Amino acid sequence: MPLPPICGEMAIKEGYMMPFILFISCMAIIGLSIYLTRKGVIKPKIRRLPAIDAIDEAVGRATELGRPVHYTVGLGSVSNVQVIAGLSILSYVARKCAEYDTRLIVTFSVPNVQPVVMDLVKEACMAAGKPENFKPEDIRWLSGRQFSFATGVMGIIMREKVAANLLLGYFAAESLIFAEAGFRAGAIQIAGTTNSYQIPFFVTTCDYTLISEELIIAGAYISQIPEQVGTIFGQDLIRLITVALIVIGSILYAVGFKDFYLWLNM
Amino acid sequence: MRGGGWAVQQSEKSTSLWEKLQEIDVRYIYLLVWIVVSIPILKPLGLPLGSISEETMLLYDFIDHLPPRSIVVMIADQGPAAATECQPGMVAIFRHCVEKDLRVLFFASRTEAVPFIEQCMIDVLGASKDHPDYGKLYVNLGFIPQYEIGLSALAANIFYTTTDAYGNSLKSMEFFKDLPTGTAKDWSLAIYFGNSNVDWVVRQVNDPYGCPVAGGVGAVLVSRIYPYYPQQVIGFLTGLRGSAEYEVLVGKPGSAVAGMDAQSLAHLAIIIMIIIGNIGYFVSKRRIGGF
Amino acid sequence: MFDFNILIVLAAAAMTLGLYSYLYRENIFFRIAEHAYVGAAAGYSALISIESAWRLLHPHLDKGEYYWLITILIGLMYVFFFTKKYFWLYRYPTAIVIGSGIGVYIARGIKTQLIRRITDTISNVSLSILTPFDGAIRAIGVISALLYFYATMEHKGPMQHISKLGRYFLMAAFGSSFGVTIMSRVSLFIGRLRFLYFTYPAQYVVVLAVIMLVAAIIYDHVRKAET
Amino acid sequence: MSRVIKRDIPILLLTFTALFQAADTLIEEPTLNSYADSMRSAASIIGTFALILSVTLLTRLHTRRLQRRRTIIESTVLLISLWIPLVWGLWQFSMGGVSPTIEPFVQGVFNGIVSPGDSTIYAILAFFIASAAYRAFRARSVEATILLVAGIIVMLAKAPIGESIWSGFPILSDWILNVPNRAGVTVIILSAILASIALYVRMMLGYERGWMGRAAE
């Protein structure tokens, strides 16, 4: 096979100097905080996330009413960060549903999510000691087009009269369709996404909302594994650095010293 | 964050009219929306449009001051869903270009947009490929795949596709005679119609070749286009309202202007509903004694 | 001569009204429209994906680079999901798909989502629309709302006030995004109604649908009165 | 051993591809860039094969329903509208190389079912947004009041009618959109990328295994 010449000129791409520095330092900071957590030097704890605590309540209510729980990770492919976060929460929900013998319907739009979801739900049912509760026909692909997926979900929510509607993943314009269908079915709704255009609809129509990063840290919040929580500590350190950059940059820019701004754009 | 949804449904049984309105069956709201939007469509009311926004005005002035035979490139990226907002604007701008004797080059960056180009030419010229000026002033390149890659190739070499949408060879057309460079440097304006993103057009046409960019975009895209305005994007039409403004400027009010009546009525209805809902909320709160 | 386009318009009108019948309640017409829509969209999107995958693959095969057939072998690992023993093979293609997705996203994201947003806030610090301090207010909003998301600390003391301020900024942002969106959503519906009212022969379907809706309302009312 | 091939190698594969793609985005080097480009094409070809799973399972679900004589009409409609265009389109594509985007029958199905469906469901949002606004815009608390006021001002400014009520609405809405709204949107974006970085590190080190169905382990 024809190989291109090995090792041409190697250089950082234009305009990517700062991203390169930040990439390396973010990795280092998070790596360090995992190390410190393992050593027991720091013991970070994630603050309460009411939306996640409400999942138990939602599953409990579905069990009482004898109606199913609906869970969707939305439109994204399995490589989408919000879908990955949604999958982490799904394994917890699936386990709770299996324990209480509550029916769980999972919907998604991109085919490559299918094997992951099926494996995850099956695993959760086995972990709960109830493998018979795994029903492959309740894990549904509803086409790869945005609005036909939305129609399918809308139909399922109303037909099955779901008691809990969990919308955690990647959503575009169809967010409100799901939330309204859930409202008409009288379901408890817990939603979460990082898409800034859709959060308003979730905040106004759902009972609990995981805004932006709350969705992504939820997996660590549920598992409470020290290393996972350690990365959240690292994330907060990067947040403080960001705040510092904004404060320093704004002050310098306001007094007319623009080199700092140009340096950030490098 | 705690929102309000299920909790609203669980409130106490109501007695007064205001309280009943609080828990009104949503289907009455749906019916109201349907009626309010239907009336002006069936019988236009001609409500005043208000002042014309700066972005629309700048785009109109820019096109108005282009010398004849300048090249305007129209990038159609509207699917059936976005077409309601973008198509009237595309028709109005094309009409303006025809009046000013400009050369217009169409292409679609998604397959679903191809019929909308055809429709636009038929609306304005009455014919598409059979019009006498087709090939002289107007050319439709059809679908060019792979968004940014396709546009970048076209901007580098206008004969990238070699044939137009109907299979005619480009080299023989009068449209492409006397082009100084054959690249996007010859273009006077590139206009994006659609709802997905405008970044890639600016990146491929404005950054390397300095060709100004404009847009006829859905209202949701406005916040993404603002950072480029007015340096790189010289003007744009915001949703149906922008299209309606352009129709008024061109002097041929069409579907967008009629649509604005429906828009105004619908907004008014929603605001009245919100006010009624709030009055009801305060009345019932006082009755319960929590206020 | 039979006109294929008339059939398409009729199908489109039936689809539109069938799907809108959901607004009244879940019913058999909605279910048929829904299933036709999901099925056709699934088939169509599958066709488009297959075509674009083939367009990526076949230039390499034409050039004689047959080692690209490995992608097919890895892709076929998904099929082992149907077996009890080797179902875990799906993790290999999944790992490749996720890995190449997140690798691109993380490096670009640091530039476009992290650095761009920071510099955007900095360079607008002297923005002035109503007051000369608008840019500074925006920067304060960004900082306080960013601290609202601080995860590994309970929000007490001064932090409580900062995060409360941050929430207020977020709420104003959500409210205004909501307000902006209402406009574009209404205009979409205008387009649909125009199609239904002014396209021959869609109007006849509308009349039929109205008659059916009235019948359904009367039926529901009678049944409700009986029980 | 089985843990190695079932779990550890996929994680290593993920880490390797992710770092490789990240390096490609940051570094200019012809060999690296061309390999990374091929890898992205390969990944999207590989991902397409998941369709086999999904189409099979969807078909199986509805054939089983037919066997059990439940939802006969709906399932028949779904299977017909799924398989006829799919088979016909594939046949045309593999035999004559006719792209499904121009094949007349497939386009007929698209224009008659898929495209009107898309516009219809997108437009159904007009109803849902009205009912959501009615329910959500209540002055329940300080926060809800801020949401309500910001929403109403922007709405009034965007419709022609608002300008005729008070000419100050457009300026005020401009301020809201540029100051608090931009601040809020900026933060949503910033916080999403911060959390994503941490999530990716967790995945690359194998602490977060939701994507391979073994989070419970």
Side-chain angles (χ1 to χ4, degrees), chain A residues 186-207:
Chain A
I188 292 192
Q189 307 202 74
I190 301 171
T193 183
T194 69
N195 184 342
S196 58
Y197 296 105
Q198 306 311 327
I199 295 173
F201 302 119
F202 282 154
V203 168
T204 49
T205 52
C206 295
D207 299 295

Side-chain angles (χ1 to χ4, degrees), chain C residues 7 26 37-38 43 60 72 87 91 93 107 112 116 120-121 124 133 141 152 155-156 159 185 197 201 204 218:
Chain C
L7 194 68
E26 220 272 334
Y37 183 25
V38 170
H60 296 286
I72 296 184
F87 73 94
R91 287 172 196 163
T112 57
R116 267 292 161 72
D120 183 56
T121 310
N124 277 309
F133 311 112
T152 51
H155 294 174
K156 283 179 195 145
M159 205 33 197
R185 299 305 186 235
Y197 292 163
Y204 298 102
I218 294 170

Side-chain angles (χ1 to χ4, degrees), chain C residues 61-76:
Chain C
L61 298 183
D62 280 359
K63 274 189 265 172
E65 296 167 356
Y66 290 110
Y67 55 88
W68 273 85
L69 292 173
I70 296 171
T71 55
I72 296 184
L73 288 182
I74 300 177
L76 286 175

Side-chain angles (χ1 to χ4, degrees), chain A residues 3 5 8 11 88 145 180 212, chain D residues 28-29 31 35 118 131 135 208:
Chain A
L3 283 172
S88 299
R145 280 184 82 85
E180 180 81 10
S212 193
Chain D
E28 185 98 60
E29 206 280 317
T31 318
Y35 276 131
D118 282 0
S131 101
R135 276 181 282 126
E208 180 110 14

Side-chain angles (χ1 to χ4, degrees), chain C residues 31 37 92 134 167 176, chain D residues 5 74 99 118 143 175 181:
Chain C
R31 281 204 291 277
Y37 183 25
Y92 285 78
D134 288 341
R167 278 176 71 103
S176 48
Chain D
I5 52 168
E74 294 96 315
S99 159
D118 282 0
E143 284 165 15
W175 185 84
N181 183 286

Side-chain angles (χ1 to χ4, degrees), chain A residues 1-14 16 19-20 23 26-27 30-31 34 38 78-82 84-85 87-88 91 95 108 110-116 118-120 123-124 127 136-143 145-148 150-151 154 159-160 173-181 183-184 193-197 199-201 203-205 211-214 216-220 225 227-229 231-232 235 238-239 242 246, chain D residues 14 18-19 21-35 40 43-44 46-62 64-65 68 70-71 74 78 82 110 114-115 117-133 135-137 140 143 147-148 181 184-217:
Chain A
M1 71 200 221
L3 283 172
I6 300 290
C7 244
E9 291 285 300
M10 199 193 278
I12 307 278
K13 278 192 185 163
E14 204 191 321
Y16 275 92
F20 185 79
F23 180 77
C26 288
M27 296 285 151
I30 295 173
I34 294 178
R38 288 187 90 153
V78 71
S79 63
N80 185 298
V81 53
Q82 308 174 49
I84 296 167
L87 290 172
S88 299
S91 75
R95 186 164 177 170
F108 53 89
V110 180
N112 58 25
V113 183
Q114 180 123 33
V116 183
M118 291 186 84
D119 195 7
L120 218 142
E123 197 72 31
E137 64 269 19
D138 280 341
I139 293 163
R140 295 194 197 156
W141 174 61
L142 296 162
S143 95
R145 280 184 82 85
Q146 182 184 5
F147 289 111
S148 58
T151 315
M154 195 164 98
R159 262 197 302 285
E160 312 281 0
E174 73 283 2
S175 61
L176 187 59
I177 296 179
F178 299 165
E180 180 81 10
F183 168 78
R184 285 183 71 181
T193 183
T194 69
N195 184 342
S196 58
Y197 296 105
I199 295 173
F201 302 119
V203 168
T204 49
T205 52
I211 299 169
S212 193
E213 72 182 271
E214 292 175 348
I216 302 173
I217 65 172
I225 298 170
E227 287 90 348
Q228 293 215 19
V229 182
T231 61
I232 310 294
Q235 172 188 332
I238 304 172
R239 182 193 325 275
T242 312
I246 293 176
Chain D
L14 177 125
L19 288 177
Q21 292 296 337
D24 166 62
T25 315
L26 297 168
I27 295 168
E28 185 98 60
E29 206 280 317
T31 318
L32 174 76
N33 294 153
S34 76
Y35 276 131
R40 280 196 295 274
S44 61
I46 290 169
T48 311
F49 281 86
L51 266 175
I52 301 176
L53 279 189
S54 294
V55 173
T56 314
L57 287 167
L58 187 66
T59 311
R60 196 168 74 178
L61 168 69
H62 287 278
R64 287 223 173 132
R65 282 193 185 168
R68 287 184 206 150
R70 281 161 53 191
T71 64
E74 294 96 315
L78 186 135
L82 168 67
F110 179 78
V114 181
S115 162
D118 282 0
S119 333
T120 302
I121 294 300
Y122 201 0
I124 213 171
L125 283 167
F127 300 100
F128 291 176
I129 210 166
S131 101
R135 276 181 282 126
F137 281 178
R140 278 193 209 94
E143 284 165 15
L147 188 111
L148 165 81
N181 183 286
V185 171
T186 303
V187 169
I188 300 292
I189 295 170
L190 276 176
S191 83
I193 186 73
L194 290 179
S196 305
I197 297 171
L199 177 76
Y200 291 154
V201 176
R202 286 205 289 280
M203 285 171 75
M204 288 198 265
L205 296 176
Y207 292 124
E208 180 110 14
R209 291 194 295 272
W211 61 274
M212 53 199 295
R214 291 257 168 174
E217 192 184 47

